[in-house]
Amino acid sequence: MAIQEPEVTRVVAPDGTVDERTDPDLSESVVTDLYRQQVLARTFDEKAVKLHRQGRIGTYAPLQGQEAAQVGAASALADSDYCFPTYRDHAMYLARGLELEDVLVYLLGEGNYVDREDPDGLRTFPPTIPIATQLPHAVGTSMAADYRGDDCATLVSFGDGATSEGDFHEGMNFAGVFESPTVFFCQNNHWAISVPQERQTASATIAQKAQAYGFEGVRVDGNDVLAVYGAVENALEAAKNGDGPRLIEAVTYRKGAHTTTDDPSKYRGDEEVEEWRKKDPIERTREYLEDAHGWTDDDELRVQSWADDRVVEAIANAEERTGLDVDDIFEHVYAQTPDSLRRQRQRVVDEPEVER
Ligand SMILES: Cc1ncc(C[n+]2csc(CCOP(=O)(O)OP(=O)(O)O)c2C)c(N)n1
């Protein structure tokens, strides 16, 4: 039998009402920054879908609707914390400090988010395509940091679909048993490609799954950037104080397609999309800024034109940076290259002219 559904914690309701009890009371400059990052993410996202249609980037996973969840979570991290985003978390990478240009270089198929000069610099890992495989890696990273005595925690992001994978349960179990400083951040966007949440799990919520592993699960409004920021900040603090892991379910919605090769009209209706449009995360933050800090139309125009300029500039720079060396395919996979790979490299790089 499903456990009774816990409430969703929020600060700003869809109608703009603010809950004083949950408001993390961030300064105007922090809230403005959370807003700017969301606008940049959406501007980039809309452009990326067009770039795919023009054949200028490969398959792209749109993030529209999930800006608050991604920006709120990444912004609460300290530089010393570790972060494992997913293939949809472009805004999380940006909020973590990755350049827009580098995100584009990856989408052009010519990079992998790792700064080879300084691989530990951003403490942010490349995305994995096999669902949920990043969870055990993240738990291992947080355990290793703990053994070393580092004052940091690890946040790992994943979708509702990932909770059906063995790696989710293995990661959660390890974290519970070893009380690792891990924050499991699930963006429940209600769909795993064409599989709706109710076909994914019989649990009333994803947050309640934490109970089975002996730690706390909380549910926040994932379209409320202040609520997400507050929940992640609390979980990180608890993890660093030795209180172990926490699962955060950020309830949100994927407004667009699963990827640019998907057609969501085949499996979901317009009414549902329209319902979630009314809970838009960016509009909600803007209302908060208007009410709490006298945000004006001029402020809005300034932010939008800043975002437009950054996107245009990043695309131009990224498209100039093409020309990957084939040799790179063979690098950075193993510390010691196995014979089979050495032979392949020889065929492709050293003696491509030799017919075998
Ligand atoms: C192990 C594995 N199985 C299946 C797939 C195919 N696949 C790609 S994305 C996806 C859905 C994932 O949904 P969710 O975890 O909710 O994340 P979202 O894409 O909604 O952000 C699936 C099944 C995969 N990449 N890896």
Side-chain angles (χ1 to χ4, degrees):
M1 197 183 79
I3 297 172
Q4 201 188 1
E5 184 163 338
E7 275 195 21
V8 173
T9 303
R10 68 163 57 98
V11 177
V12 190
D15 67 2
T17 319
V18 175
D19 187 337
E20 307 285 335
R21 294 165 306 168
T22 48
D23 191 346
D25 209 16
L26 302 173
S27 68
E28 179 179 353
S29 75
V30 173
V31 183
T32 304
D33 189 48
L34 294 172
Y35 182 68
R36 282 158 59 98
Q37 292 188 60
Q38 290 183 79
V39 172
L40 178 64
R42 181 160 300 179
T43 308
F44 164 72
D45 188 71
E46 285 171 351
K47 188 68 188 174
V49 172
K50 291 183 187 141
L51 290 176
H52 174 264
R53 299 283 180 256
Q54 293 165 357
R56 288 159 74 187
I57 60 172
T59 302
Y60 173 75
L63 62 84
Q64 189 160 152
Q66 298 180 224
E67 294 88 348
Q70 298 184 14
V71 167
S75 302
L77 291 164
D79 290 348
S80 51
D81 293 329
Y82 289 95
C83 183
F84 286 74
T86 73
Y87 50 79
R88 196 180 303 288
D89 285 332
H90 320 292
M92 197 175 265
Y93 279 106
L94 294 177
R96 201 52 194 145
L98 203 90
E99 295 297 330
L100 192 50
E101 191 181 316
D102 290 317
V103 173
L104 276 155
V105 167
Y106 169 81
L107 294 169
L108 286 162
E110 305 235 359
N112 67 355
Y113 288 114
V114 175
D115 179 354
R116 296 202 189 121
E117 305 297 314
D118 183 17
D120 202 31
L122 291 179
R123 297 199 162 192
T124 300
F125 285 72
T128 53
I129 300 303
I131 301 301
T133 49
Q134 71 274 27
L135 274 80
H137 297 168
V139 175
T141 301
S142 59
M143 287 171 72
D146 201 25
Y147 288 145
R148 281 201 313 221
D150 294 352
D151 179 28
C152 67
T154 298
L155 179 134
V156 56
S157 171
F158 52 96
D160 39 297
T163 64
S164 298
E165 290 286 349
D167 280 340
F168 167 78
H169 300 281
E170 288 157 26
M172 294 276 286
N173 190 51
F174 244 84
V177 170
F178 292 97
E179 299 183 331
S180 67
T182 317
V183 178
F184 293 92
F185 184 71
C186 178
Q187 289 174 66
N188 175 3
N189 66 11
H190 287 83
W191 290 93
I193 314 184
S194 55
V195 177
Q197 187 194 326
E198 58 274 16
R199 298 286 292 169
Q200 195 66 250
T201 181
S203 309
T205 73
I206 286 168
Q208 72 181 216
K209 290 177 188 287
Q211 289 176 21
Y213 299 99
F215 56 91
E216 194 185 353
V218 295
R219 212 164 183 245
V220 289
D221 184 334
N223 284 11
D224 177 351
V225 75
L226 301 181
V228 174
Y229 186 99
V232 174
E233 194 180 40
N234 287 341
L236 290 167
E237 197 183 313
K240 289 180 211 175
N241 283 339
D243 294 343
R246 191 170 293 174
L247 169 63
I248 298 173
E249 175 187 0
V251 182
T252 181
Y253 192 73
R254 159 165 68 72
K255 286 170 81 176
H258 170 72
T259 67
T260 41
T261 55
D262 168 52
D263 174 4
S265 70
K266 299 280 183 227
Y267 53 82
R268 69 183 189 189
D270 291 344
E271 314 78 52
E272 178 185 316
V273 181
E274 179 52 27
E275 267 317 296
W276 279 94
R277 203 198 56 71
K278 294 180 196 151
K279 302 178 194 164
D280 186 78
I282 297 188
E283 283 173 24
R284 207 143 3 140
T285 320
R286 186 165 57 234
E287 274 188 39
Y288 181 89
L289 279 168
E290 283 168 6
D291 292 349
H293 300 296
W295 191 255
T296 64
D297 287 350
D298 276 353
D299 293 322
E300 181 59 27
L301 283 175
R302 245 194 313 278
V303 170
Q304 190 57 60
S305 89
W306 164 82
D308 291 342
D309 291 350
R310 280 201 60 192
V311 171
V312 169
E313 193 187 337
I315 294 170
N317 291 343
E319 289 190 324
E320 263 189 25
R321 269 173 54 185
T322 51
L324 187 74
D325 194 339
V326 179
D327 212 9
D328 275 2
I329 295 170
F330 298 93
E331 297 293 329
H332 318 292
V333 180
Y334 294 94
Q336 282 171 344
T337 310
D339 279 348
S340 56
L341 206 59
R342 213 190 321 276
R343 281 197 296 278
Q344 279 184 25
R345 182 181 181 282
Q346 206 176 10
R347 278 208 296 278
V348 178
V349 181
D350 299 334
E351 304 168 18
E353 70 286 350
V354 177
E355 272 195 34
R356 287 159 210 269

